[in-house]
Amino acid sequence: MQSPFRIVQLSDTHFLKDDALAEGGEGAYDTDAAFDAVFTHIAANHDPHMIVVTGDIADNGFTDEYRKAAEAFSRFDVPVNVCPGNHDHFGHYSARIGRPGVSTSRVIEIDTWAHVFVDSAAGTLLPQASGTVADPPPPVRLNSNGVLGARETAWIRETCDTIAAEHVFIWLHHPPAAPLGLTEDAAYEAEWRALLSELPQVRGFGGGHTHVPDDYEIDGCPVAVAPSLKNNFSMAPQTWLPPGYRSYEFNANGSWSSDVHLVDDERWPRRPFGSLLASLFRGDISHGELRQIIERRNAERTAN
Ligand SMILES: [Fe+2]
């Protein structure tokens, strides 16, 4: 392989159908503009061998949002491989994202490495009598903080056994055990801790979901969390962040490194965020409660 093998990771692109409202509303970035800015920044600063996109491809899971995403990803002149997130409608995603150069491969082997692409919300899918799986009624998948389920867990284990790669890197939407109250989920964390104890060849994870770029470890295994293109935050200091992406270098000896890149621009100032958003990230209030508080404040403002 070309060593080091260079990958650029985008996550949480949240492409939005032209006449649709952004899920969650308040403060959502123009994700078309964010993609353009990120695409231009990558072209000017990196020379990747492959692009990876780790879920929340579409904001509402509409078929037109996948068409838009696929056209955007087709602009890269290197292969693009994607996996789904909790915002993705699995049926629409599976049917509409593929294009020449844009794929949903689940395993990509590169020399001593196997890159394994996991659906970290697969446990929400409903087995059908036909033998296929179907999306659960909304908002089950949307609200999922990550659930592998028996089928995906078995697939990860069996895949790692079958490919027998020396080094495995897991790409997925929900990073396991992210140190953020909002996304804490003991059951999901336990699924990964059990798998890691059986799969010593796993060298790390690349995820998204939190919209808070971060680096940490689970059971000594490093986890890299990518920035989002919809809205993006820093916890220390507590500020909004511009959209961004991560770059990676994978070496034949199993080592890897990664950096976060943010695309600063006056459209996305690094302004402080208040106690309400801080409460959300700590997990003190839910997204639904946040929405209710904002609606109540807006109504009070209008009344005054
Ligand atoms: Fe997201």
Side-chain angles (χ1 to χ4, degrees):
M1 75 172 186
Q2 301 96 329
S3 190
F5 192 83
R6 295 185 298 276
I7 291 180
V8 159
Q9 178 200 14
L10 275 59
S11 196
D12 300 80
T13 51
H14 287 273
F15 281 97
L16 189 63
K17 191 159 83 92
D18 287 342
D19 56 353
L21 292 173
E23 195 276 332
E26 286 293 310
Y29 298 169
D30 176 339
T31 49
D32 291 348
F35 180 83
D36 284 344
V38 163
F39 180 87
T40 303
H41 199 271
I42 293 168
N45 294 284
H46 301 274
D47 184 20
H49 299 110
M50 185 170 83
I51 308 286
V52 161
V53 191
T54 48
D56 283 5
I57 308 296
D59 198 45
N60 297 297
F62 295 140
T63 54
D64 282 355
E65 295 175 341
Y66 294 108
R67 183 186 46 74
K68 195 179 204 182
E71 285 170 6
F73 299 156
S74 295
R75 291 166 60 187
F76 289 107
D77 58 9
V78 293
V80 178
N81 203 68
V82 306
C83 62
N86 53 300
H87 273 247
D88 292 308
H89 182 286
F90 188 74
H92 295 166
Y93 156 88
S94 304
R96 296 302 307 276
I97 197 76
R99 296 286 186 285
V102 181
S103 304
T104 57
S105 295
R106 304 213 58 202
V107 183
I108 297 179
E109 284 200 74
I110 302 161
D111 195 24
T112 56
W113 284 87
H115 294 266
V116 174
F117 293 79
V118 167
D119 177 4
S120 54
T124 63
L125 296 173
L126 303 174
Q128 303 296 290
S130 61
T132 61
V133 288
D135 283 85
V140 173
R141 185 170 174 120
L142 178 69
N143 290 342
S144 168
N145 260 340
V147 52
L148 296 175
R151 180 191 294 248
E152 190 75 355
T153 301
W155 177 82
I156 295 165
R157 194 184 292 116
E158 287 162 17
T159 298
C160 287
D161 285 348
T162 305
I163 54 184
E166 233 179 293
H167 314 296
V168 169
F169 194 84
I170 306 280
W171 297 101
L172 77 183
H173 183 65
H174 299 84
L180 200 65
L182 173 65
T183 59
E184 234 169 59
D185 193 311
Y188 179 58
E189 192 175 322
E191 286 183 307
W192 275 114
R193 287 192 192 281
L195 273 171
L196 284 174
S197 70
E198 298 172 38
L199 302 173
Q201 64 272 56
V202 175
R203 303 279 172 259
F205 294 87
H209 181 58
T210 62
H211 296 210
V212 178
D214 202 359
D215 291 273
Y216 62 92
E217 291 187 353
I218 171 172
D219 292 346
C221 191
V223 183
V225 183
S228 155
L229 278 70
K230 180 177 179 179
N231 40 32
N232 202 30
F233 303 94
S234 157
M235 290 299 107
Q238 291 186 349
T239 63
W240 292 70
L241 290 177
Y245 60 95
R246 291 192 80 119
S247 61
Y248 292 76
E249 289 193 350
F250 293 89
N251 303 303
N253 67 2
S255 64
W256 62 276
S257 59
S258 174
D259 292 305
V260 171
H261 306 276
L262 299 170
V263 184
D264 278 291
D265 185 289
E266 61 189 12
R267 290 170 288 182
W268 306 294
R270 299 189 183 214
R271 59 191 165 92
F273 62 76
S275 56
L276 203 53
L277 265 180
S279 300
L280 177 76
F281 285 122
R282 278 198 308 271
D284 296 342
I285 58 171
S286 67
H287 279 107
E289 288 166 328
L290 173 70
R291 212 165 299 143
Q292 283 173 6
I293 294 167
I294 290 170
E295 281 167 8
R296 196 167 61 234
R297 283 183 179 178
N298 289 345
E300 284 167 3
R301 250 181 240 136
T302 309
N304 294 332

